[in-house]
PDB file of all heavy atoms in Angstrom:
ATOM      1  N   ALA A  52       0.826  -1.206   0.000  1.00 80.00           N
ATOM      2  CA  ALA A  52       0.000   0.000   0.000  1.00 80.00           C
ATOM      3  C   ALA A  52       0.862   1.258   0.000  1.00 80.00           C
ATOM      4  O   ALA A  52       0.552   2.243  -0.677  1.00 80.00           O
ATOM      5  CB  ALA A  52      -0.930  -0.007   1.211  1.00 80.00           C
ATOM      6  N   ALA A  53       1.961   1.235   0.760  1.00 76.00           N
ATOM      7  CA  ALA A  53       2.861   2.387   0.781  1.00 76.00           C
ATOM      8  C   ALA A  53       3.514   2.596  -0.585  1.00 76.00           C
ATOM      9  O   ALA A  53       3.663   3.725  -1.044  1.00 76.00           O
ATOM     10  CB  ALA A  53       3.925   2.187   1.849  1.00 76.00           C
ATOM     11  N   ALA A  54       3.883   1.491  -1.248  1.00 75.00           N
ATOM     12  CA  ALA A  54       4.473   1.616  -2.582  1.00 75.00           C
ATOM     13  C   ALA A  54       3.461   2.156  -3.581  1.00 75.00           C
ATOM     14  O   ALA A  54       3.800   2.937  -4.473  1.00 75.00           O
ATOM     15  CB  ALA A  54       5.004   0.262  -3.039  1.00 75.00           C
ATOM     16  N   ALA A  55       2.179   1.758  -3.420  1.00 79.00           N
ATOM     17  CA  ALA A  55       1.145   2.249  -4.325  1.00 79.00           C
ATOM     18  C   ALA A  55       0.922   3.755  -4.145  1.00 79.00           C
ATOM     19  O   ALA A  55       0.556   4.455  -5.101  1.00 79.00           O
ATOM     20  CB  ALA A  55      -0.154   1.490  -4.090  1.00 79.00           C
ATOM     21  N   LEU A  56       1.142   4.251  -2.922  1.00 78.00           N
ATOM     22  CA  LEU A  56       0.989   5.686  -2.666  1.00 78.00           C
ATOM     23  C   LEU A  56       2.218   6.483  -3.076  1.00 78.00           C
ATOM     24  O   LEU A  56       2.210   7.712  -2.979  1.00 78.00           O
ATOM     25  CB  LEU A  56       0.694   5.913  -1.176  1.00 78.00           C
ATOM     26  CG  LEU A  56      -0.656   5.382  -0.676  1.00 78.00           C
ATOM     27  CD1 LEU A  56      -0.755   5.541   0.840  1.00 78.00           C
ATOM     28  CD2 LEU A  56      -1.801   6.109  -1.362  1.00 78.00           C
ATOM     29  N   GLY A  57       3.274   5.810  -3.487  1.00 77.00           N
ATOM     30  CA  GLY A  57       4.477   6.498  -3.924  1.00 77.00           C
ATOM     31  C   GLY A  57       5.358   7.004  -2.803  1.00 77.00           C
ATOM     32  O   GLY A  57       6.144   7.934  -3.011  1.00 77.00           O
ATOM     33  N   LEU A  58       5.270   6.409  -1.605  1.00 75.00           N
ATOM     34  CA  LEU A  58       6.098   6.846  -0.489  1.00 75.00           C
ATOM     35  C   LEU A  58       7.529   6.358  -0.673  1.00 75.00           C
ATOM     36  O   LEU A  58       7.770   5.263  -1.172  1.00 75.00           O
ATOM     37  CB  LEU A  58       5.531   6.308   0.833  1.00 75.00           C
ATOM     38  CG  LEU A  58       4.104   6.740   1.183  1.00 75.00           C
ATOM     39  CD1 LEU A  58       3.679   6.124   2.500  1.00 75.00           C
ATOM     40  CD2 LEU A  58       3.997   8.252   1.250  1.00 75.00           C
ATOM     41  N   GLY A  59       8.475   7.174  -0.236  1.00 77.00           N
ATOM     42  CA  GLY A  59       9.879   6.797  -0.330  1.00 77.00           C
ATOM     43  C   GLY A  59      10.239   5.703   0.653  1.00 77.00           C
ATOM     44  O   GLY A  59       9.530   5.458   1.639  1.00 77.00           O
ATOM     45  N   ARG A  60      11.371   5.034   0.426  1.00 74.00           N
ATOM     46  CA  ARG A  60      11.769   3.910   1.267  1.00 74.00           C
ATOM     47  C   ARG A  60      12.054   4.358   2.695  1.00 74.00           C
ATOM     48  O   ARG A  60      11.688   3.670   3.649  1.00 74.00           O
ATOM     49  CB  ARG A  60      13.011   3.236   0.665  1.00 74.00           C
ATOM     50  CG  ARG A  60      12.769   2.606  -0.692  1.00 74.00           C
ATOM     51  CD  ARG A  60      14.000   1.882  -1.189  1.00 74.00           C
ATOM     52  NE  ARG A  60      14.375   0.801  -0.292  1.00 74.00           N
ATOM     53  CZ  ARG A  60      15.439   0.022  -0.479  1.00 74.00           C
ATOM     54  NH1 ARG A  60      16.242   0.236  -1.518  1.00 74.00           N
ATOM     55  NH2 ARG A  60      15.716  -0.951   0.369  1.00 74.00           N
ATOM     56  N   TRP A  61      12.715   5.498   2.868  1.00 78.00           N
ATOM     57  CA  TRP A  61      13.009   5.974   4.212  1.00 78.00           C
ATOM     58  C   TRP A  61      11.739   6.327   4.965  1.00 78.00           C
ATOM     59  O   TRP A  61      11.612   6.031   6.153  1.00 78.00           O
ATOM     60  CB  TRP A  61      13.944   7.173   4.142  1.00 78.00           C
ATOM     61  CG  TRP A  61      14.157   7.848   5.466  1.00 78.00           C
ATOM     62  CD1 TRP A  61      13.752   9.078   5.846  1.00 78.00           C
ATOM     63  CD2 TRP A  61      14.828   7.284   6.598  1.00 78.00           C
ATOM     64  NE1 TRP A  61      14.110   9.342   7.133  1.00 78.00           N
ATOM     65  CE2 TRP A  61      14.782   8.252   7.627  1.00 78.00           C
ATOM     66  CE3 TRP A  61      15.451   6.063   6.844  1.00 78.00           C
ATOM     67  CZ2 TRP A  61      15.340   8.033   8.878  1.00 78.00           C
ATOM     68  CZ3 TRP A  61      16.019   5.843   8.103  1.00 78.00           C
ATOM     69  CH2 TRP A  61      15.955   6.825   9.090  1.00 78.00           C
ATOM     70  N   ARG A  62      10.782   6.944   4.294  1.00 78.00           N
ATOM     71  CA  ARG A  62       9.529   7.289   4.955  1.00 78.00           C
ATOM     72  C   ARG A  62       8.721   6.050   5.295  1.00 78.00           C
ATOM     73  O   ARG A  62       8.082   5.981   6.348  1.00 78.00           O
ATOM     74  CB  ARG A  62       8.709   8.221   4.047  1.00 78.00           C
ATOM     75  CG  ARG A  62       7.500   8.828   4.742  1.00 78.00           C
ATOM     76  CD  ARG A  62       6.795   9.827   3.861  1.00 78.00           C
ATOM     77  NE  ARG A  62       5.680  10.454   4.560  1.00 78.00           N
ATOM     78  CZ  ARG A  62       4.839  11.298   3.996  1.00 78.00           C
ATOM     79  NH1 ARG A  62       5.009  11.640   2.709  1.00 78.00           N
ATOM     80  NH2 ARG A  62       3.852  11.820   4.691  1.00 78.00           N
ATOM     81  N   VAL A  63       8.742   5.067   4.401  1.00 78.00           N
ATOM     82  CA  VAL A  63       8.047   3.801   4.692  1.00 78.00           C
ATOM     83  C   VAL A  63       8.672   3.129   5.911  1.00 78.00           C
ATOM     84  O   VAL A  63       7.967   2.622   6.794  1.00 78.00           O
ATOM     85  CB  VAL A  63       8.112   2.872   3.464  1.00 78.00           C
ATOM     86  CG1 VAL A  63       7.596   1.476   3.821  1.00 78.00           C
ATOM     87  CG2 VAL A  63       7.311   3.452   2.320  1.00 78.00           C
ATOM     88  N   LEU A  64      10.005   3.142   5.968  1.00 76.00           N
ATOM     89  CA  LEU A  64      10.681   2.525   7.109  1.00 76.00           C
ATOM     90  C   LEU A  64      10.371   3.259   8.404  1.00 76.00           C
ATOM     91  O   LEU A  64      10.108   2.630   9.432  1.00 76.00           O
ATOM     92  CB  LEU A  64      12.191   2.516   6.858  1.00 76.00           C
ATOM     93  CG  LEU A  64      13.068   1.935   7.956  1.00 76.00           C
ATOM     94  CD1 LEU A  64      12.808   0.447   8.112  1.00 76.00           C
ATOM     95  CD2 LEU A  64      14.547   2.189   7.666  1.00 76.00           C
ATOM     96  N   ARG A  65      10.369   4.585   8.352  1.00 75.00           N
ATOM     97  CA  ARG A  65      10.197   5.388   9.568  1.00 75.00           C
ATOM     98  C   ARG A  65       8.756   5.455  10.038  1.00 75.00           C
ATOM     99  O   ARG A  65       8.504   5.414  11.249  1.00 75.00           O
ATOM    100  CB  ARG A  65      10.733   6.806   9.319  1.00 75.00           C
ATOM    101  CG  ARG A  65      10.670   7.731  10.523  1.00 75.00           C
ATOM    102  CD  ARG A  65      11.416   9.020  10.231  1.00 75.00           C
ATOM    103  NE  ARG A  65      10.888   9.683   9.048  1.00 75.00           N
ATOM    104  CZ  ARG A  65       9.908  10.598   9.086  1.00 75.00           C
ATOM    105  NH1 ARG A  65       9.362  10.945  10.237  1.00 75.00           N
ATOM    106  NH2 ARG A  65       9.504  11.168   7.966  1.00 75.00           N
ATOM    107  N   ARG A  66       7.801   5.524   9.115  1.00 76.00           N
ATOM    108  CA  ARG A  66       6.405   5.749   9.492  1.00 76.00           C
ATOM    109  C   ARG A  66       5.553   4.485   9.487  1.00 76.00           C
ATOM    110  O   ARG A  66       4.480   4.474  10.094  1.00 76.00           O
ATOM    111  CB  ARG A  66       5.782   6.776   8.552  1.00 76.00           C
ATOM    112  CG  ARG A  66       6.467   8.126   8.540  1.00 76.00           C
ATOM    113  CD  ARG A  66       6.423   8.775   9.918  1.00 76.00           C
ATOM    114  NE  ARG A  66       5.080   9.013  10.347  1.00 76.00           N
ATOM    115  CZ  ARG A  66       4.380  10.111  10.084  1.00 76.00           C
ATOM    116  NH1 ARG A  66       4.948  11.085   9.373  1.00 76.00           N
ATOM    117  NH2 ARG A  66       3.153  10.258  10.528  1.00 76.00           N
ATOM    118  N   ILE A  67       6.008   3.432   8.816  1.00 78.00           N
ATOM    119  CA  ILE A  67       5.165   2.233   8.692  1.00 78.00           C
ATOM    120  C   ILE A  67       5.839   1.009   9.304  1.00 78.00           C
ATOM    121  O   ILE A  67       5.258   0.330  10.161  1.00 78.00           O
ATOM    122  CB  ILE A  67       4.810   1.975   7.213  1.00 78.00           C
ATOM    123  CG1 ILE A  67       3.974   3.129   6.670  1.00 78.00           C
ATOM    124  CG2 ILE A  67       4.064   0.653   7.063  1.00 78.00           C
ATOM    125  CD1 ILE A  67       3.627   2.999   5.203  1.00 78.00           C
ATOM    126  N   VAL A  68       7.065   0.723   8.870  1.00 80.00           N
ATOM    127  CA  VAL A  68       7.711  -0.514   9.300  1.00 80.00           C
ATOM    128  C   VAL A  68       8.116  -0.459  10.772  1.00 80.00           C
ATOM    129  O   VAL A  68       7.751  -1.339  11.565  1.00 80.00           O
ATOM    130  CB  VAL A  68       8.934  -0.810   8.406  1.00 80.00           C
ATOM    131  CG1 VAL A  68       9.671  -2.047   8.914  1.00 80.00           C
ATOM    132  CG2 VAL A  68       8.495  -1.018   6.967  1.00 80.00           C
ATOM    133  N   VAL A  69       8.860   0.584  11.157  1.00 78.00           N
ATOM    134  CA  VAL A  69       9.385   0.651  12.518  1.00 78.00           C
ATOM    135  C   VAL A  69       8.275   0.705  13.575  1.00 78.00           C
ATOM    136  O   VAL A  69       8.319  -0.061  14.551  1.00 78.00           O
ATOM    137  CB  VAL A  69      10.353   1.839  12.662  1.00 78.00           C
ATOM    138  CG1 VAL A  69      10.750   2.047  14.131  1.00 78.00           C
ATOM    139  CG2 VAL A  69      11.589   1.616  11.807  1.00 78.00           C
ATOM    140  N   PRO A  70       7.240   1.582  13.461  1.00 78.00           N
ATOM    141  CA  PRO A  70       6.211   1.594  14.511  1.00 78.00           C
ATOM    142  C   PRO A  70       5.502   0.260  14.687  1.00 78.00           C
ATOM    143  O   PRO A  70       5.181  -0.135  15.816  1.00 78.00           O
ATOM    144  CB  PRO A  70       5.236   2.687  14.023  1.00 78.00           C
ATOM    145  CG  PRO A  70       6.046   3.560  13.145  1.00 78.00           C
ATOM    146  CD  PRO A  70       7.013   2.646  12.455  1.00 78.00           C
ATOM    147  N   GLN A  71       5.239  -0.451  13.586  1.00 81.00           N
ATOM    148  CA  GLN A  71       4.562  -1.736  13.705  1.00 81.00           C
ATOM    149  C   GLN A  71       5.513  -2.834  14.177  1.00 81.00           C
ATOM    150  O   GLN A  71       5.118  -3.721  14.933  1.00 81.00           O
ATOM    151  CB  GLN A  71       3.937  -2.129  12.370  1.00 81.00           C
ATOM    152  CG  GLN A  71       2.840  -1.173  11.917  1.00 81.00           C
ATOM    153  CD  GLN A  71       2.139  -1.666  10.675  1.00 81.00           C
ATOM    154  OE1 GLN A  71       1.549  -2.737  10.651  1.00 81.00           O
ATOM    155  NE2 GLN A  71       2.205  -0.879   9.609  1.00 81.00           N
ATOM    156  N   ALA A  72       6.757  -2.771  13.738  1.00 83.00           N
ATOM    157  CA  ALA A  72       7.721  -3.780  14.179  1.00 83.00           C
ATOM    158  C   ALA A  72       8.041  -3.645  15.661  1.00 83.00           C
ATOM    159  O   ALA A  72       8.302  -4.644  16.342  1.00 83.00           O
ATOM    160  CB  ALA A  72       9.007  -3.671  13.357  1.00 83.00           C
ATOM    161  N   MET A  73       7.983  -2.421  16.181  1.00 84.00           N
ATOM    162  CA  MET A  73       8.308  -2.217  17.590  1.00 84.00           C
ATOM    163  C   MET A  73       7.319  -2.910  18.513  1.00 84.00           C
ATOM    164  O   MET A  73       7.667  -3.258  19.643  1.00 84.00           O
ATOM    165  CB  MET A  73       8.345  -0.719  17.902  1.00 84.00           C
ATOM    166  CG  MET A  73       9.532   0.008  17.285  1.00 84.00           C
ATOM    167  SD  MET A  73      11.126  -0.610  17.865  1.00 84.00           S
ATOM    168  CE  MET A  73      11.102  -0.003  19.543  1.00 84.00           C
ATOM    169  N   ARG A  74       6.093  -3.125  18.057  1.00 84.00           N
ATOM    170  CA  ARG A  74       5.129  -3.857  18.888  1.00 84.00           C
ATOM    171  C   ARG A  74       5.592  -5.267  19.164  1.00 84.00           C
ATOM    172  O   ARG A  74       5.308  -5.827  20.228  1.00 84.00           O
ATOM    173  CB  ARG A  74       3.762  -3.878  18.197  1.00 84.00           C
ATOM    174  CG  ARG A  74       3.136  -2.510  18.013  1.00 84.00           C
ATOM    175  CD  ARG A  74       1.860  -2.618  17.186  1.00 84.00           C
ATOM    176  NE  ARG A  74       1.337  -1.298  16.853  1.00 84.00           N
ATOM    177  CZ  ARG A  74       0.366  -1.080  15.980  1.00 84.00           C
ATOM    178  NH1 ARG A  74      -0.196  -2.115  15.350  1.00 84.00           N
ATOM    179  NH2 ARG A  74      -0.049   0.146  15.733  1.00 84.00           N
ATOM    180  N   ALA A  75       6.289  -5.870  18.207  1.00 84.00           N
ATOM    181  CA  ALA A  75       6.823  -7.214  18.406  1.00 84.00           C
ATOM    182  C   ALA A  75       8.212  -7.199  19.012  1.00 84.00           C
ATOM    183  O   ALA A  75       8.614  -8.152  19.675  1.00 84.00           O
ATOM    184  CB  ALA A  75       6.856  -7.964  17.070  1.00 84.00           C
ATOM    185  N   ILE A  76       8.956  -6.102  18.806  1.00 88.00           N
ATOM    186  CA  ILE A  76      10.336  -6.043  19.287  1.00 88.00           C
ATOM    187  C   ILE A  76      10.407  -5.699  20.770  1.00 88.00           C
ATOM    188  O   ILE A  76      11.193  -6.281  21.522  1.00 88.00           O
ATOM    189  CB  ILE A  76      11.146  -5.021  18.458  1.00 88.00           C
ATOM    190  CG1 ILE A  76      11.322  -5.531  17.027  1.00 88.00           C
ATOM    191  CG2 ILE A  76      12.502  -4.741  19.087  1.00 88.00           C
ATOM    192  CD1 ILE A  76      11.999  -4.537  16.100  1.00 88.00           C
ATOM    193  N   VAL A  77       9.574  -4.741  21.215  1.00 87.00           N
ATOM    194  CA  VAL A  77       9.711  -4.213  22.579  1.00 87.00           C
ATOM    195  C   VAL A  77       9.542  -5.283  23.659  1.00 87.00           C
ATOM    196  O   VAL A  77      10.362  -5.349  24.586  1.00 87.00           O
ATOM    197  CB  VAL A  77       8.726  -3.044  22.794  1.00 87.00           C
ATOM    198  CG1 VAL A  77       8.650  -2.661  24.263  1.00 87.00           C
ATOM    199  CG2 VAL A  77       9.166  -1.842  21.970  1.00 87.00           C
ATOM    200  N   PRO A  78       8.508  -6.147  23.619  1.00 88.00           N
ATOM    201  CA  PRO A  78       8.408  -7.150  24.697  1.00 88.00           C
ATOM    202  C   PRO A  78       9.626  -8.051  24.789  1.00 88.00           C
ATOM    203  O   PRO A  78      10.145  -8.301  25.886  1.00 88.00           O
ATOM    204  CB  PRO A  78       7.145  -7.935  24.317  1.00 88.00           C
ATOM    205  CG  PRO A  78       6.355  -7.010  23.466  1.00 88.00           C
ATOM    206  CD  PRO A  78       7.352  -6.219  22.701  1.00 88.00           C
TER     207      PRO A  78
END
């Protein structure tokens, strides 16, 4: 979905991947 919206890789990593991955990483 992020690629379809034309978001850059750094923005996808910072705004989409990291916040969702942290839910699994933090515990």
